[in-house]
Amino acid sequence: MAPMKRWAARAGAGAGALVVLAGGAFWFGGGYDRWSSDRALTSACDGVLPADGIRAALGEHRLKSFDDRSEGGLDDPTTSLRVTCGISRKHAENTGKDVGKGSVTVTVNGVPTLDQEDRRYESLYPGIRLASLPPAPLGQGWSGVFATADSPTDAKATTAVLLDCAPGRGDLLVTVTVEVDKNLGDMPLDNPERRTAFARVATDTAANASRRYGCDAELGEPLKTAPLPVNEDEYVAPADAEGTCAGIAARGKTVARAWESERGTAPYETCVLGNSRGDTIHVVTAHYGPYAEGAFHDYVERAGEPDPTESGQRSGVLRNGGYWTMADCPGGAEPAFFSLTAPRDDGTRTEADRTYALATLKAFAERSARTHGCAAPTAPSAPDDSDSAPKKETP
């Protein structure tokens, strides 16, 4: 019996060694990293993340989730659906290799926001302007925009997709920001392959969210490419504008440049106007759906001011000295909200400045509303504008 016992002991030790070796191979061969990443991708954000798309954006690195929260639902009568999460590269502890910064941040919002009072001191929806210049409409059957940030070290883009859910279910807004470290060799966003990989995370997440939450929206086409927003050198004279700045008049050297995107049916549109030196003079913006709701909330409700629309007001002056107006849109949608701001307002505006600004907002709002099938906007006015008194003209 003794030889048999010794043989069994040796066999048991050999099997144990194989288990240890197999475990080591699984760990050091990357098996644990893949398992850990798969677990993070399938469990975060209520399971609506596209695993392949996120790997295409961040690369084959070990990933971890963060800030994973979920509340409400499309059928909840009191609290709107809001799901947030993030996925980021995790330092490879077993190799010590620096994998660089890389993350995907996702927010899925039910539209409209039902519990606005609880969110008085925060924005209702994520912002989408990462740079001073206009984002580009996503197109290809999607109602959305693609925006990039000006950064010498990071490739960062935000894609927003608005889904028109089946009747009686509200809408869904999916916002995705992808950021990677270009210093470690990641492709810049002027590479169409990288842009498209970033944008597909949003469209694929939107498709998954539509199924997951019973939105049943009509989806766009699988993205073949993602648009590159206009850059600083791609301005045109206002008279030559054909997109979001079309129809806006120049004003000598004061307004001599226009940065625009294509005119489409995106829920957020911007025209940037600048002087002959390239300084921004006016930013004109069209907000539709959740962005109209969010803009009105930011400009009025968060400041605790009375709702001007309750007294029938349809246009006026913003707290920052800009101007706003509204237009009714079909299907019971949120009224469109149009704004004009002056980032470099130095408090010396003249009556001519005011007249030009109101005319610019009017021209922009009318063209945008017509494209979106909305009614003609209220003519912008500024009856309470403290700057409306004539001032000495500046040369």
Side-chain angles (χ1 to χ4, degrees):
M1 293 296 295
M4 181 62 72
K5 291 180 179 179
R6 286 194 295 271
W7 179 86
R10 287 195 297 269
L18 288 175
V19 170
V20 171
L21 288 172
F26 176 76
W27 179 274
F28 291 105
Y32 177 78
D33 287 352
R34 286 190 294 273
W35 173 84
S36 177
S37 296
D38 289 343
R39 185 179 180 186
L41 289 169
T42 56
S43 62
C45 257
D46 272 2
V48 299
L49 300 181
D52 291 343
I54 289 179
R55 286 196 177 94
L58 298 184
E60 292 294 337
H61 301 284
R62 183 177 176 187
L63 305 174
K64 62 178 181 179
S65 62
F66 60 91
D67 290 343
D68 195 8
R69 293 169 291 166
S70 178
E71 63 177 316
L74 284 182
D75 56 353
D76 190 328
T78 59
T79 303
S80 292
L81 172 71
R82 183 162 64 167
V83 180
T84 61
C85 72
I87 298 291
S88 64
R89 293 173 180 169
K90 188 173 184 179
H91 181 68
E93 296 160 345
N94 54 340
T95 65
K97 182 180 178 181
D98 183 4
V99 298
K101 180 172 61 176
S103 64
V104 175
T105 305
V106 177
T107 305
V108 180
N109 291 95
V111 179
T113 296
L114 302 177
D115 47 345
Q116 289 192 14
E117 184 62 32
D118 296 338
R119 303 181 189 179
R120 175 178 290 275
Y121 301 107
E122 60 178 294
S123 294
L124 299 182
Y125 304 104
I128 52 176
R129 276 193 78 196
L130 299 179
S132 59
L133 299 180
L138 198 55
Q140 300 163 86
W142 296 96
S143 176
V145 292
F146 182 78
T148 57
D150 299 325
S151 172
T153 58
D154 298 332
K156 183 176 181 179
T158 291
T159 307
V161 176
L162 178 62
L163 297 182
D164 182 9
C165 298
R169 306 181 194 183
D171 295 330
L172 276 179
L173 177 66
V174 176
T175 310
V176 175
T177 297
V178 184
E179 182 175 9
V180 295
D181 189 342
K182 289 194 299 188
N183 286 337
L184 292 180
D186 282 308
M187 292 181 290
L189 287 174
D190 56 5
N191 184 297
E193 180 181 346
R194 172 47 56 94
R195 288 200 310 276
T196 306
F198 282 20
R200 278 178 180 161
V201 176
T203 55
D204 291 349
T205 298
N208 293 339
S210 180
R211 292 186 290 267
R212 168 70 176 80
Y213 303 111
C215 169
D216 296 331
E218 183 175 345
L219 305 177
E221 303 169 4
L223 286 190
K224 297 179 180 178
T225 186
L228 183 63
V230 63
N231 64 44
E232 189 175 356
D233 297 329
E234 295 176 323
Y235 60 85
V236 297
D240 297 329
E242 298 179 346
T244 52
C245 293
I248 295 176
R251 193 183 177 205
K253 293 183 178 180
T254 302
V255 178
R257 300 182 182 185
W259 292 266
E260 61 179 354
S261 65
E262 292 182 7
R263 177 80 74 188
T265 56
Y268 183 93
E269 299 176 345
T270 300
C271 164
V272 177
L273 302 171
N275 62 21
S276 57
R277 297 188 303 272
D279 302 324
T280 298
I281 301 301
H282 293 302
V283 177
V284 204
T285 307
H287 313 259
Y288 294 92
Y291 296 111
E293 179 192 354
F296 198 79
H297 175 77
D298 289 343
Y299 285 128
V300 177
E301 294 165 355
R302 289 177 64 186
E305 297 179 357
D307 183 348
T309 61
E310 291 182 356
S311 61
Q313 186 177 345
R314 303 277 295 179
S315 68
V317 183
L318 299 172
R319 297 192 312 277
N320 59 12
Y323 304 102
W324 65 273
T325 188
M326 303 175 72
D328 292 326
C329 294
E334 187 82 17
F337 185 90
F338 306 95
S339 62
L340 178 143
T341 57
R344 286 181 166 81
D345 180 20
D346 58 5
T348 60
R349 284 180 298 178
T350 66
E351 179 67 14
D353 294 334
R354 174 177 175 270
T355 300
Y356 176 82
L358 292 174
T360 295
L361 179 57
K362 182 176 185 294
F364 172 85
E366 287 178 346
R367 286 182 178 249
S368 180
R370 189 182 310 122
T371 302
H372 284 256
C374 299
T378 301
S381 60
D384 299 322
D385 187 356
S386 60
D387 291 330
S388 62
K391 297 179 181 179
K392 182 181 179 181
E393 289 283 355
T394 55

